[in-house]
Amino acid sequence: HMNETNRDGIAHGSSTEKRPAEARRIQANSGSQLRKPLCSLLPASMPSPSLRLAVVGAGAAGLAAARELRREGHAPVVFERAAAVGGTWLYASPAPAAAADPLGAAATHSSLYASLRTNLPREVMGFLDFPFTAARGSVVDARRFPGHQEVLRYLEDFTQRFDLYGLVRFQTEVVGVRREAGGRWAVTSRKLGEKGEQDEELYDAVVVCNGHYSEPRVASIPGDLYFPTLTGADAWPGKQMHSHNYRVPEPFLDQVVIVIGASASAVDISRDIASVAKEVHIADRSAPTSTCEQQPEYDNMWLHSMIDHAQGDGTVVFQDGSSIKADVIMHCTGYLYDFPFLGDDSTITVDDNCVDPLYKHVFPIEVAPDLSFIGVPWKVIPFPLFELQSKWVAGILSGRIKLPSKDEMMEDVKAIYSRLETRGWPKRYTHNFSGGYQFEYDDWLAEQCGHPPIEEWRKLMYAANAKNKAARPERYRDEWDDDGLVALANEDFKKYF
């Protein structure tokens, strides 16, 4: 990859024939009489149009998209409401509004807590051609599982290295995306801090990269099967908050805290709080009903099944029958996909956290390829996935790679739902890539783009980390047994330096 003449990511557009969006559509339709394979590479000699593209968000996904779109010869404009790149990796104290609405998103995009360290080793995490090594010049935290500040530094290095800062409009929020009669997209944005001032501009296509870690999902959503209604929680006198607004443990000194959830943030935050709290009780919906266990290595932390109900005197009763008087209920219950700037003409719906219908989790079928989503899947290694999705989208937008027919795309989406049903998974797991599927998906994308598959060492290291995490839940970030794979990775990285 680094042998490309434009490997620095700077667009060498002088030889790219500039064509209007209409030309792309005519070109894309010209082969419609041919038998449509799932995806095909068009001859490299065909001139590709340069499109004006709106990218929503300058986190890791938006930065990957901007680089790949420009490498393909397009002209992306990146909208970012923060004053810096990084997206969810941009640490921010909760906005004052969070105190009034501790269960809501308030005005804070980031969900980072101060102690957060990566739960993947840095070798695995990085973009495919820009290694996240401890040998980079701006490294401050050289640990293999670094803190969030180091990931932000890496993304800043990436932005600098590929000269992406000039593409980003900072402190600019996209408030509306509307499809025009001619097929182009009107994007309405506003500069934060300027009252009433809104700009509307036309783009050939829109790439949505706004992440999915900023709109809290809470356990007390009525009728939500994921986390049943907490009966009596409205009248419960204690404090309730979502992990989105958690930053440091000190406010929980000597308190009794219930943490709902069992995912990465619940594990980290329960241990963080246990360092200062009187007691921490974890409510895990996947634990057997009778569960009430003190946690190994802690004298003040217990695991329970889910909460049965809460009472007006501050008591919380678990399904195992045990009860405690608690000061705080912390909802570590995940996030919702949220695209407030999209209207019905986006042709997608979000129901039970399933974005539907998306071909290969990227393209809304009716308006493909002019609207796309980067980074929807979860339980993945995010950065390489963002990169491969972005390469695919960029190639399709230039007409170099061809999408199958709408009918074929819809059949593919239906097949995903059938697989879910066969596994007995709920709809909200549509974009859950656990169980090895992510590498099958990554390699499929790579094949479409003419890119090598994901490196074998990366796949093995991901598996080794999962095994180590299960064996050493408290120490996996500092003790491991895969130094041989680290050596392979570092050898592989030499070609990029």
Side-chain angles (χ1 to χ4, degrees):
H1 217 76
M2 292 301 278
N3 294 329
E4 294 172 353
T5 51
N6 65 340
R7 67 179 184 266
D8 54 1
I10 296 168
H12 297 274
S14 56
S15 62
T16 305
E17 185 182 335
K18 305 289 182 190
R19 291 188 178 190
E22 289 72 21
R24 173 172 53 76
R25 272 183 272 279
I26 292 164
Q27 177 181 306
N29 292 334
S30 63
S32 58
Q33 71 274 20
L34 301 173
R35 184 177 64 83
K36 296 183 179 70
L38 202 58
C39 228
S40 60
L41 288 170
L42 298 179
S45 57
M46 291 180 70
S48 63
S50 178
L51 304 179
R52 189 163 189 256
L53 307 172
V55 176
V56 184
L63 295 171
R67 182 182 75 157
E68 299 305 331
L69 293 167
R70 191 171 59 182
R71 276 179 163 175
E72 190 75 23
H74 300 303
V77 174
V78 185
F79 295 86
E80 173 51 58
R81 65 183 181 187
V85 299
T88 201
W89 292 100
L90 201 57
Y91 182 82
S93 299
D101 182 18
L103 285 171
T108 306
H109 180 76
S110 177
S111 300
L112 294 180
Y113 33 97
S115 66
L116 185 140
R117 290 174 65 186
T118 65
N119 59 4
L120 291 172
R122 63 195 307 147
E123 300 87 4
V124 158
M125 272 187 77
F127 292 112
L128 299 173
D129 62 356
F130 189 71
F132 184 20
T133 68
R136 287 176 10 263
S138 61
V139 168
V140 176
D141 179 356
R143 291 176 297 178
R144 193 174 177 212
F145 293 77
H148 58 82
Q149 303 92 332
E150 182 68 14
V151 183
L152 179 62
R153 273 190 290 273
Y154 169 71
L155 292 174
E156 290 168 345
D157 287 353
F158 179 85
T159 310
Q160 190 87 45
R161 169 71 180 78
F162 297 102
D163 197 22
L164 303 176
Y165 277 109
L167 303 180
V168 186
R169 294 185 190 172
F170 291 107
Q171 295 186 298
T172 306
E173 181 177 26
V174 172
V175 292
V177 171
R178 188 181 72 252
R179 198 169 189 223
E180 295 287 275
R184 298 183 86 199
W185 295 81
V187 175
T188 305
S189 63
R190 69 182 182 97
K191 191 84 173 156
L192 297 179
E194 292 177 12
K195 288 184 180 173
E197 292 289 315
Q198 292 195 345
D199 284 326
E200 186 176 284
E201 301 163 292
L202 287 178
Y203 290 87
D204 296 302
V206 177
V207 184
V208 178
C209 308
N210 69 329
H212 46 87
Y213 294 109
S214 58
E215 187 60 34
R217 172 186 194 127
V218 295
S220 51
I221 301 169
D224 186 349
L225 298 175
Y226 185 25
F227 285 104
T229 303
L230 296 186
T231 311
D234 290 344
W236 186 71
K239 179 180 180 179
Q240 293 190 67
M241 65 184 288
H242 192 277
S243 58
H244 176 69
N245 293 310
Y246 174 80
R247 294 296 179 269
V248 292
E250 284 74 17
F252 304 94
L253 182 67
D254 296 331
Q255 295 193 334
V256 176
V257 180
I258 294 173
V259 174
I260 302 178
S263 63
S265 64
V267 171
D268 281 355
I269 290 171
S270 59
R271 283 148 179 76
D272 214 14
I273 291 175
S275 66
V276 298
K278 183 180 176 186
E279 294 174 11
V280 175
H281 297 265
I282 302 162
D284 176 2
R285 68 183 166 88
S286 61
T289 305
S290 58
T291 305
C292 181
E293 300 166 356
Q294 189 167 341
Q295 292 301 277
E297 301 185 34
Y298 292 89
D299 58 7
N300 65 338
M301 187 156 66
W302 288 264
L303 176 68
H304 302 261
S305 53
M306 193 48 193
I307 293 170
D308 184 72
H309 66 276
Q311 296 173 355
D313 66 352
T315 302
V316 174
V317 182
F318 295 96
Q319 288 174 354
D320 61 63
S322 63
S323 64
I324 49 156
K325 274 201 173 182
D327 301 294
V328 181
I329 294 176
M330 173 77 70
H331 297 249
C332 297
T333 45
Y335 295 87
L336 300 166
Y337 292 104
D338 188 38
F339 312 105
F341 44 84
L342 293 180
D344 292 343
D345 54 6
S346 69
T347 72
I348 55 136
T349 58
V350 181
D351 178 42
D352 192 20
N353 244 18
C354 164
V355 187
D356 176 60
L358 284 187
Y359 175 60
K360 300 296 182 190
H361 308 270
V362 172
F363 289 110
I365 292 167
E366 281 304 313
V367 291
D370 301 332
L371 181 64
S372 57
F373 294 79
I374 304 295
V376 168
W378 48 286
K379 294 276 186 186
V380 295
I381 307 172
F383 298 179
L385 179 131
F386 299 163
E387 180 179 348
L388 289 168
Q389 286 184 327
S390 297
K391 286 180 191 297
W392 187 50
V393 168
I396 285 169
L397 284 171
S398 64
R400 189 171 56 80
I401 303 171
K402 197 156 168 34
L403 280 172
S405 69
K406 286 181 183 178
D407 286 347
E408 287 169 302
M409 289 193 279
M410 189 51 86
E411 284 307 308
D412 193 82
V413 170
K414 285 177 182 168
I416 289 172
Y417 296 149
S418 295
R419 278 202 303 273
L420 274 182
E421 217 168 295
T422 305
R423 287 177 176 176
W425 282 12
K427 192 175 183 180
R428 66 178 180 275
Y429 279 19
T430 300
H431 310 296
N432 177 346
F433 276 22
S434 62
Y437 176 62
Q438 70 162 322
F439 295 126
E440 186 187 319
Y441 176 83
D442 287 347
D443 289 347
W444 183 89
L445 287 173
E447 190 184 5
Q448 304 310 306
C449 302
H451 189 279
I454 294 288
E455 313 95 330
E456 199 56 32
W457 64 257
R458 198 181 299 250
K459 295 173 182 175
L460 293 171
M461 192 181 286
Y462 182 78
N465 181 58
K467 191 175 171 184
N468 191 38
K469 194 173 172 183
R472 302 175 172 130
E474 305 295 332
R475 298 183 300 280
Y476 74 94
R477 291 179 173 99
D478 301 299
E479 298 174 14
W480 53 81
D481 306 309
D482 62 344
D483 283 332
L485 292 173
V486 176
L488 280 177
N490 287 330
E491 190 58 38
D492 195 35
F493 291 160
K494 284 178 183 174
K495 61 179 176 273
Y496 301 116
F497 293 113

